[in-house]
Short mmCIF file of all heavy atoms in Angstrom, two decimals:
data_model
loop_
_atom_site.label_atom_id
_atom_site.label_comp_id
_atom_site.label_asym_id
_atom_site.label_seq_id
_atom_site.Cartn_x
_atom_site.Cartn_y
_atom_site.Cartn_z
N MET X 58 -2.94 -3.58 2.77
CA MET X 58 -3.53 -3.78 1.47
C MET X 58 -4.95 -3.24 1.49
O MET X 58 -5.65 -3.32 2.49
CB MET X 58 -3.56 -5.26 1.12
CG MET X 58 -2.21 -5.88 1.03
SD MET X 58 -2.38 -7.58 0.51
CE MET X 58 -1.01 -7.69 -0.56
N ALA X 59 -5.35 -2.75 0.37
CA ALA X 59 -6.67 -2.14 0.31
C ALA X 59 -7.61 -2.93 -0.60
O ALA X 59 -8.60 -2.41 -1.06
CB ALA X 59 -6.54 -0.71 -0.19
N ALA X 60 -7.30 -4.16 -0.86
CA ALA X 60 -8.15 -4.96 -1.74
C ALA X 60 -9.34 -5.51 -0.97
O ALA X 60 -9.19 -6.09 0.10
CB ALA X 60 -7.35 -6.10 -2.35
N ASP X 61 -10.53 -5.30 -1.51
CA ASP X 61 -11.74 -5.75 -0.83
C ASP X 61 -11.96 -7.25 -0.98
O ASP X 61 -12.79 -7.82 -0.28
CB ASP X 61 -12.96 -5.02 -1.39
CG ASP X 61 -12.95 -3.55 -1.02
OD1 ASP X 61 -12.39 -3.23 0.04
OD2 ASP X 61 -13.50 -2.75 -1.78
N TRP X 62 -11.25 -7.89 -1.88
CA TRP X 62 -11.48 -9.30 -2.14
C TRP X 62 -10.61 -10.22 -1.28
O TRP X 62 -10.71 -11.44 -1.40
CB TRP X 62 -11.24 -9.61 -3.62
CG TRP X 62 -9.92 -9.11 -4.11
CD1 TRP X 62 -9.68 -7.90 -4.71
CD2 TRP X 62 -8.65 -9.77 -4.05
NE1 TRP X 62 -8.34 -7.78 -5.01
CE2 TRP X 62 -7.69 -8.92 -4.62
CE3 TRP X 62 -8.24 -11.00 -3.55
CZ2 TRP X 62 -6.35 -9.26 -4.70
CZ3 TRP X 62 -6.90 -11.34 -3.65
CH2 TRP X 62 -5.97 -10.47 -4.22
N LEU X 63 -9.76 -9.68 -0.41
CA LEU X 63 -8.91 -10.53 0.43
C LEU X 63 -9.76 -11.34 1.40
O LEU X 63 -10.67 -10.82 2.04
CB LEU X 63 -7.92 -9.67 1.21
CG LEU X 63 -6.80 -9.04 0.41
CD1 LEU X 63 -5.97 -8.14 1.31
CD2 LEU X 63 -5.94 -10.08 -0.24
N VAL X 64 -9.45 -12.63 1.50
CA VAL X 64 -10.21 -13.53 2.36
C VAL X 64 -9.34 -13.90 3.56
O VAL X 64 -8.18 -14.24 3.42
CB VAL X 64 -10.63 -14.80 1.59
CG1 VAL X 64 -11.35 -15.77 2.51
CG2 VAL X 64 -11.52 -14.43 0.41
N CYS X 65 -9.93 -13.82 4.73
CA CYS X 65 -9.23 -14.13 5.97
C CYS X 65 -9.09 -15.65 6.14
O CYS X 65 -10.05 -16.40 5.94
CB CYS X 65 -10.00 -13.54 7.15
SG CYS X 65 -9.30 -13.94 8.75
N ALA X 66 -7.92 -16.11 6.52
CA ALA X 66 -7.71 -17.53 6.75
C ALA X 66 -8.30 -17.97 8.08
O ALA X 66 -8.53 -19.16 8.30
CB ALA X 66 -6.21 -17.85 6.73
N ASN X 67 -8.58 -17.03 8.95
CA ASN X 67 -9.11 -17.35 10.27
C ASN X 67 -10.63 -17.58 10.24
O ASN X 67 -11.12 -18.55 10.79
CB ASN X 67 -8.76 -16.21 11.24
CG ASN X 67 -8.98 -16.58 12.67
OD1 ASN X 67 -8.86 -17.74 13.03
ND2 ASN X 67 -9.29 -15.61 13.49
N CYS X 68 -11.37 -16.66 9.58
CA CYS X 68 -12.83 -16.77 9.60
C CYS X 68 -13.44 -17.06 8.23
O CYS X 68 -14.65 -17.22 8.12
CB CYS X 68 -13.44 -15.48 10.16
SG CYS X 68 -13.20 -14.03 9.11
N ALA X 69 -12.63 -17.12 7.18
CA ALA X 69 -13.06 -17.39 5.80
C ALA X 69 -14.02 -16.33 5.27
O ALA X 69 -14.75 -16.58 4.33
CB ALA X 69 -13.67 -18.78 5.68
N GLY X 70 -13.99 -15.15 5.84
CA GLY X 70 -14.79 -14.03 5.34
C GLY X 70 -13.88 -12.99 4.74
O GLY X 70 -12.65 -13.07 4.81
N ARG X 71 -14.48 -12.00 4.11
CA ARG X 71 -13.69 -10.91 3.56
C ARG X 71 -13.08 -10.10 4.69
O ARG X 71 -13.72 -9.83 5.70
CB ARG X 71 -14.55 -10.00 2.71
CG ARG X 71 -14.97 -10.63 1.43
CD ARG X 71 -15.70 -9.63 0.58
NE ARG X 71 -16.07 -10.25 -0.68
CZ ARG X 71 -16.77 -9.64 -1.60
NH1 ARG X 71 -17.17 -8.40 -1.41
NH2 ARG X 71 -17.06 -10.25 -2.71
N VAL X 72 -11.82 -9.72 4.53
CA VAL X 72 -11.13 -8.94 5.55
C VAL X 72 -11.83 -7.60 5.74
O VAL X 72 -11.93 -7.08 6.84
CB VAL X 72 -9.64 -8.76 5.19
CG1 VAL X 72 -8.94 -7.83 6.15
CG2 VAL X 72 -8.95 -10.11 5.15
N SER X 73 -12.36 -7.04 4.65
CA SER X 73 -13.01 -5.73 4.72
C SER X 73 -14.28 -5.75 5.57
O SER X 73 -14.74 -4.71 6.02
CB SER X 73 -13.34 -5.23 3.32
OG SER X 73 -14.21 -6.12 2.66
N GLU X 74 -14.85 -6.93 5.81
CA GLU X 74 -16.05 -7.04 6.64
C GLU X 74 -15.72 -7.01 8.13
O GLU X 74 -16.57 -6.66 8.95
CB GLU X 74 -16.81 -8.32 6.31
CG GLU X 74 -17.39 -8.33 4.91
CD GLU X 74 -18.02 -9.66 4.55
OE1 GLU X 74 -18.01 -10.59 5.39
OE2 GLU X 74 -18.50 -9.77 3.42
N GLY X 75 -14.50 -7.41 8.51
CA GLY X 75 -14.08 -7.37 9.91
C GLY X 75 -14.83 -8.33 10.80
O GLY X 75 -15.23 -7.97 11.91
N ARG X 76 -15.01 -9.57 10.38
CA ARG X 76 -15.78 -10.54 11.16
C ARG X 76 -15.08 -10.98 12.43
O ARG X 76 -15.71 -11.16 13.47
CB ARG X 76 -16.07 -11.78 10.32
CG ARG X 76 -17.04 -11.56 9.21
CD ARG X 76 -17.31 -12.87 8.51
NE ARG X 76 -18.15 -12.68 7.34
CZ ARG X 76 -18.50 -13.66 6.53
NH1 ARG X 76 -18.09 -14.88 6.76
NH2 ARG X 76 -19.25 -13.40 5.49
N CYS X 77 -13.78 -11.20 12.36
CA CYS X 77 -13.06 -11.73 13.53
C CYS X 77 -12.03 -10.71 14.02
O CYS X 77 -11.83 -9.65 13.41
CB CYS X 77 -12.37 -13.05 13.17
SG CYS X 77 -11.02 -12.88 11.99
N ALA X 78 -11.35 -11.04 15.10
CA ALA X 78 -10.36 -10.13 15.68
C ALA X 78 -9.18 -9.90 14.73
O ALA X 78 -8.63 -8.79 14.68
CB ALA X 78 -9.86 -10.69 17.01
N THR X 79 -8.81 -10.91 13.98
CA THR X 79 -7.71 -10.77 13.03
C THR X 79 -8.07 -9.77 11.94
O THR X 79 -7.26 -8.92 11.56
CB THR X 79 -7.36 -12.14 12.40
OG1 THR X 79 -7.09 -13.06 13.45
CG2 THR X 79 -6.17 -12.04 11.49
N CYS X 80 -9.28 -9.88 11.41
CA CYS X 80 -9.74 -8.96 10.37
C CYS X 80 -9.80 -7.53 10.91
O CYS X 80 -9.38 -6.59 10.25
CB CYS X 80 -11.13 -9.35 9.87
SG CYS X 80 -11.21 -10.91 9.01
N ARG X 81 -10.34 -7.37 12.11
CA ARG X 81 -10.45 -6.04 12.69
C ARG X 81 -9.08 -5.43 12.96
O ARG X 81 -8.88 -4.22 12.78
CB ARG X 81 -11.29 -6.10 13.97
CG ARG X 81 -12.76 -6.35 13.68
CD ARG X 81 -13.61 -6.22 14.93
NE ARG X 81 -13.35 -7.24 15.92
CZ ARG X 81 -13.92 -8.45 15.95
NH1 ARG X 81 -14.80 -8.78 15.04
NH2 ARG X 81 -13.61 -9.31 16.89
N ALA X 82 -8.12 -6.24 13.36
CA ALA X 82 -6.76 -5.74 13.59
C ALA X 82 -6.13 -5.28 12.28
O ALA X 82 -5.46 -4.24 12.24
CB ALA X 82 -5.90 -6.83 14.24
N GLN X 83 -6.34 -6.02 11.21
CA GLN X 83 -5.81 -5.64 9.90
C GLN X 83 -6.45 -4.33 9.42
O GLN X 83 -5.77 -3.45 8.90
CB GLN X 83 -6.03 -6.74 8.87
CG GLN X 83 -5.53 -6.41 7.49
CD GLN X 83 -4.04 -6.18 7.43
OE1 GLN X 83 -3.27 -6.69 8.23
NE2 GLN X 83 -3.61 -5.42 6.47
N LEU X 84 -7.74 -4.20 9.61
CA LEU X 84 -8.42 -2.97 9.23
C LEU X 84 -7.90 -1.78 10.03
O LEU X 84 -7.73 -0.68 9.48
CB LEU X 84 -9.93 -3.12 9.41
CG LEU X 84 -10.64 -4.04 8.42
CD1 LEU X 84 -12.09 -4.23 8.82
CD2 LEU X 84 -10.52 -3.51 7.01
N ALA X 85 -7.61 -1.99 11.30
CA ALA X 85 -7.07 -0.92 12.14
C ALA X 85 -5.67 -0.52 11.66
O ALA X 85 -5.34 0.67 11.63
CB ALA X 85 -7.02 -1.35 13.60
N ARG X 86 -4.85 -1.49 11.28
CA ARG X 86 -3.52 -1.19 10.77
C ARG X 86 -3.60 -0.41 9.46
O ARG X 86 -2.80 0.49 9.21
CB ARG X 86 -2.72 -2.46 10.56
CG ARG X 86 -2.10 -3.00 11.82
CD ARG X 86 -1.10 -4.10 11.52
NE ARG X 86 -1.71 -5.25 10.89
CZ ARG X 86 -2.18 -6.31 11.54
NH1 ARG X 86 -2.11 -6.34 12.85
NH2 ARG X 86 -2.71 -7.32 10.89
N GLN X 87 -4.57 -0.74 8.61
CA GLN X 87 -4.72 -0.02 7.35
C GLN X 87 -5.10 1.43 7.60
O GLN X 87 -4.66 2.33 6.89
CB GLN X 87 -5.79 -0.68 6.49
CG GLN X 87 -5.35 -1.98 5.88
CD GLN X 87 -6.46 -2.64 5.07
OE1 GLN X 87 -7.57 -2.13 4.98
NE2 GLN X 87 -6.17 -3.79 4.51
N ARG X 88 -5.92 1.69 8.60
CA ARG X 88 -6.34 3.06 8.90
C ARG X 88 -5.21 3.89 9.48
O ARG X 88 -5.19 5.11 9.33
CB ARG X 88 -7.53 3.05 9.86
CG ARG X 88 -8.79 2.57 9.20
CD ARG X 88 -9.97 2.70 10.15
NE ARG X 88 -11.05 1.86 9.69
CZ ARG X 88 -11.46 0.74 10.27
NH1 ARG X 88 -10.87 0.35 11.37
NH2 ARG X 88 -12.43 0.03 9.77
N GLU X 89 -4.27 3.25 10.19
CA GLU X 89 -3.17 3.97 10.83
C GLU X 89 -2.09 4.39 9.85
O GLU X 89 -1.32 5.30 10.15
CB GLU X 89 -2.53 3.10 11.91
CG GLU X 89 -3.42 2.87 13.11
CD GLU X 89 -2.80 1.89 14.09
OE1 GLU X 89 -1.68 1.40 13.84
OE2 GLU X 89 -3.43 1.60 15.10
N ARG X 90 -2.02 3.78 8.71
CA ARG X 90 -0.97 4.08 7.75
C ARG X 90 -1.15 5.46 7.16
O ARG X 90 -2.25 5.91 6.88
CB ARG X 90 -0.97 3.06 6.62
CG ARG X 90 -0.58 1.70 7.08
CD ARG X 90 -0.60 0.73 5.95
NE ARG X 90 -0.28 -0.61 6.46
CZ ARG X 90 -0.59 -1.71 5.83
NH1 ARG X 90 -1.22 -1.67 4.70
NH2 ARG X 90 -0.26 -2.88 6.35
N GLY X 91 -0.04 6.13 6.96
CA GLY X 91 -0.07 7.46 6.39
C GLY X 91 0.06 7.42 4.87
O GLY X 91 0.21 6.35 4.27
N PRO X 92 0.04 8.58 4.24
CA PRO X 92 0.12 8.61 2.78
C PRO X 92 1.50 8.21 2.24
O PRO X 92 1.63 7.85 1.08
CB PRO X 92 -0.19 10.07 2.44
CG PRO X 92 0.11 10.83 3.68
CD PRO X 92 -0.16 9.89 4.82
N TRP X 93 2.53 8.26 3.09
CA TRP X 93 3.88 7.91 2.64
C TRP X 93 4.22 6.45 2.90
O TRP X 93 5.34 6.02 2.66
CB TRP X 93 4.90 8.80 3.34
CG TRP X 93 4.68 10.24 3.02
CD1 TRP X 93 4.11 11.17 3.82
CD2 TRP X 93 4.98 10.89 1.79
NE1 TRP X 93 4.05 12.37 3.17
CE2 TRP X 93 4.58 12.23 1.93
CE3 TRP X 93 5.56 10.49 0.60
CZ2 TRP X 93 4.74 13.15 0.91
CZ3 TRP X 93 5.72 11.41 -0.42
CH2 TRP X 93 5.31 12.72 -0.27
N GLU X 94 3.28 5.67 3.38
CA GLU X 94 3.53 4.27 3.71
C GLU X 94 3.93 3.45 2.47
O GLU X 94 4.71 2.51 2.56
CB GLU X 94 2.28 3.65 4.34
CG GLU X 94 2.47 2.24 4.83
CD GLU X 94 3.36 2.16 6.05
OE1 GLU X 94 3.45 3.13 6.81
OE2 GLU X 94 3.98 1.11 6.25
N ALA X 95 3.42 3.81 1.30
CA ALA X 95 3.73 3.05 0.09
C ALA X 95 5.20 3.16 -0.30
O ALA X 95 5.73 2.29 -0.99
CB ALA X 95 2.86 3.53 -1.06
N LEU X 96 5.89 4.21 0.13
CA LEU X 96 7.29 4.39 -0.24
C LEU X 96 8.25 3.60 0.62
O LEU X 96 9.44 3.59 0.35
CB LEU X 96 7.65 5.88 -0.17
CG LEU X 96 6.91 6.77 -1.16
CD1 LEU X 96 7.31 8.22 -0.92
CD2 LEU X 96 7.21 6.36 -2.57
N THR X 97 7.77 2.92 1.65
CA THR X 97 8.68 2.21 2.54
C THR X 97 9.09 0.86 1.99
O THR X 97 10.10 0.31 2.42
CB THR X 97 8.04 2.02 3.93
OG1 THR X 97 6.83 1.29 3.78
CG2 THR X 97 7.76 3.35 4.59
N GLY X 98 8.37 0.31 1.06
CA GLY X 98 8.71 -0.98 0.49
C GLY X 98 9.69 -0.84 -0.66
O GLY X 98 9.95 0.25 -1.16
N PRO X 99 10.27 -1.95 -1.10
CA PRO X 99 11.23 -1.91 -2.20
C PRO X 99 10.63 -1.38 -3.50
O PRO X 99 11.27 -0.63 -4.23
CB PRO X 99 11.67 -3.36 -2.37
CG PRO X 99 11.22 -4.07 -1.15
CD PRO X 99 10.13 -3.28 -0.55
N ALA X 100 9.40 -1.74 -3.81
CA ALA X 100 8.78 -1.28 -5.05
C ALA X 100 8.54 0.23 -5.00
O ALA X 100 8.73 0.92 -6.01
CB ALA X 100 7.47 -2.02 -5.28
N GLY X 101 8.14 0.74 -3.86
CA GLY X 101 7.92 2.17 -3.73
C GLY X 101 9.21 2.97 -3.85
O GLY X 101 9.25 4.01 -4.50
N LEU X 102 10.27 2.45 -3.24
CA LEU X 102 11.56 3.13 -3.34
C LEU X 102 12.10 3.09 -4.77
O LEU X 102 12.66 4.08 -5.25
CB LEU X 102 12.57 2.49 -2.37
CG LEU X 102 12.28 2.74 -0.90
CD1 LEU X 102 13.27 1.96 -0.03
CD2 LEU X 102 12.35 4.21 -0.58
N LEU X 103 11.92 1.99 -5.45
CA LEU X 103 12.35 1.88 -6.84
C LEU X 103 11.57 2.86 -7.72
O LEU X 103 12.16 3.53 -8.58
CB LEU X 103 12.17 0.45 -7.36
CG LEU X 103 12.58 0.21 -8.80
CD1 LEU X 103 14.07 0.46 -8.99
CD2 LEU X 103 12.22 -1.21 -9.22
N ALA X 104 10.29 2.97 -7.50
CA ALA X 104 9.47 3.91 -8.27
C ALA X 104 9.92 5.35 -8.01
O ALA X 104 9.99 6.16 -8.94
CB ALA X 104 8.00 3.74 -7.91
N LEU X 105 10.26 5.66 -6.77
CA LEU X 105 10.73 7.00 -6.43
C LEU X 105 12.07 7.30 -7.12
O LEU X 105 12.25 8.38 -7.69
CB LEU X 105 10.87 7.14 -4.92
CG LEU X 105 11.34 8.50 -4.41
CD1 LEU X 105 10.34 9.58 -4.76
CD2 LEU X 105 11.56 8.43 -2.91
N VAL X 106 12.98 6.34 -7.11
CA VAL X 106 14.29 6.53 -7.76
C VAL X 106 14.12 6.70 -9.26
O VAL X 106 14.75 7.58 -9.88
CB VAL X 106 15.23 5.35 -7.42
CG1 VAL X 106 16.46 5.36 -8.30
CG2 VAL X 106 15.62 5.39 -5.96
N LEU X 107 13.26 5.90 -9.87
CA LEU X 107 13.03 6.03 -11.32
C LEU X 107 12.39 7.36 -11.67
O LEU X 107 12.73 7.97 -12.69
CB LEU X 107 12.17 4.87 -11.82
CG LEU X 107 12.84 3.50 -11.83
CD1 LEU X 107 11.85 2.42 -12.25
CD2 LEU X 107 14.05 3.51 -12.76
N ALA X 108 11.48 7.82 -10.86
CA ALA X 108 10.84 9.12 -11.12
C ALA X 108 11.86 10.25 -11.00
O ALA X 108 11.88 11.17 -11.83
CB ALA X 108 9.69 9.33 -10.14
N LEU X 109 12.73 10.18 -9.99
CA LEU X 109 13.76 11.21 -9.85
C LEU X 109 14.75 11.17 -11.00
O LEU X 109 15.19 12.22 -11.48
CB LEU X 109 14.48 11.05 -8.51
CG LEU X 109 13.65 11.40 -7.28
CD1 LEU X 109 14.43 11.06 -6.01
CD2 LEU X 109 13.26 12.86 -7.30
N ALA X 110 15.09 9.98 -11.47
CA ALA X 110 16.00 9.87 -12.62
C ALA X 110 15.36 10.44 -13.88
O ALA X 110 16.02 11.12 -14.68
CB ALA X 110 16.39 8.41 -12.84
N ALA X 111 14.08 10.20 -14.08
CA ALA X 111 13.38 10.73 -15.25
C ALA X 111 13.34 12.26 -15.19
O ALA X 111 13.55 12.94 -16.20
CB ALA X 111 11.97 10.16 -15.31
N ILE X 112 13.10 12.80 -14.01
CA ILE X 112 13.09 14.27 -13.87
C ILE X 112 14.46 14.84 -14.15
O ILE X 112 14.61 15.86 -14.82
CB ILE X 112 12.59 14.66 -12.47
CG1 ILE X 112 11.10 14.32 -12.34
CG2 ILE X 112 12.83 16.14 -12.18
CD1 ILE X 112 10.56 14.45 -10.94
N ALA X 113 15.50 14.17 -13.65
CA ALA X 113 16.87 14.64 -13.87
C ALA X 113 17.22 14.61 -15.36
O ALA X 113 17.89 15.52 -15.87
CB ALA X 113 17.85 13.79 -13.07
N LEU X 114 16.78 13.59 -16.08
CA LEU X 114 17.05 13.51 -17.51
C LEU X 114 16.33 14.62 -18.28
O LEU X 114 16.88 15.19 -19.23
CB LEU X 114 16.65 12.14 -18.06
CG LEU X 114 17.56 10.99 -17.69
CD1 LEU X 114 16.97 9.66 -18.17
CD2 LEU X 114 18.93 11.20 -18.29
N VAL X 115 15.12 14.92 -17.91
CA VAL X 115 14.37 15.98 -18.58
C VAL X 115 15.00 17.33 -18.31
O VAL X 115 15.12 18.15 -19.23
CB VAL X 115 12.88 15.96 -18.12
CG1 VAL X 115 12.14 17.19 -18.58
CG2 VAL X 115 12.20 14.71 -18.63
N VAL X 116 15.42 17.57 -17.09
CA VAL X 116 16.04 18.86 -16.75
C VAL X 116 17.39 19.02 -17.40
O VAL X 116 17.75 20.11 -17.87
CB VAL X 116 16.13 19.00 -15.21
CG1 VAL X 116 16.97 20.20 -14.81
CG2 VAL X 116 14.75 19.08 -14.60
N ALA X 117 18.18 17.95 -17.47
CA ALA X 117 19.54 18.02 -17.99
C ALA X 117 19.61 17.97 -19.51
O ALA X 117 20.67 18.24 -20.09
CB ALA X 117 20.37 16.89 -17.42
N ARG X 118 18.52 17.69 -20.18
CA ARG X 118 18.55 17.58 -21.66
C ARG X 118 18.78 18.96 -22.27
O ARG X 118 18.10 19.91 -21.93
CB ARG X 118 17.22 17.01 -22.16
CG ARG X 118 17.24 16.77 -23.64
CD ARG X 118 16.10 15.99 -24.16
NE ARG X 118 14.81 16.32 -23.56
CZ ARG X 118 13.66 15.98 -24.11
NH1 ARG X 118 13.64 15.32 -25.24
NH2 ARG X 118 12.53 16.29 -23.53
N PRO X 119 19.73 19.05 -23.20
CA PRO X 119 19.99 20.35 -23.82
C PRO X 119 18.82 20.77 -24.73
O PRO X 119 18.15 19.94 -25.32
CB PRO X 119 21.26 20.13 -24.64
CG PRO X 119 21.39 18.67 -24.78
CD PRO X 119 20.64 18.03 -23.66
N ALA X 120 18.65 22.06 -24.83
CA ALA X 120 17.52 22.60 -25.62
C ALA X 120 17.73 22.52 -27.09
O ALA X 120 18.65 22.37 -27.72
CB ALA X 120 17.28 24.05 -25.23
#
């Protein structure tokens, strides 16, 4: 997650500040993710399927 307002349950600080080991580990995981990471979840896959369906409808529509 890239939200700056997330609060750590371990140190009660913002995760983006990296106060404790848990926060720093989460920040490291966020940096390791690639640009295609959003498509691995159910919402990302659904968005991809809907976008492909919309493209198929536009291409298949008669002139």
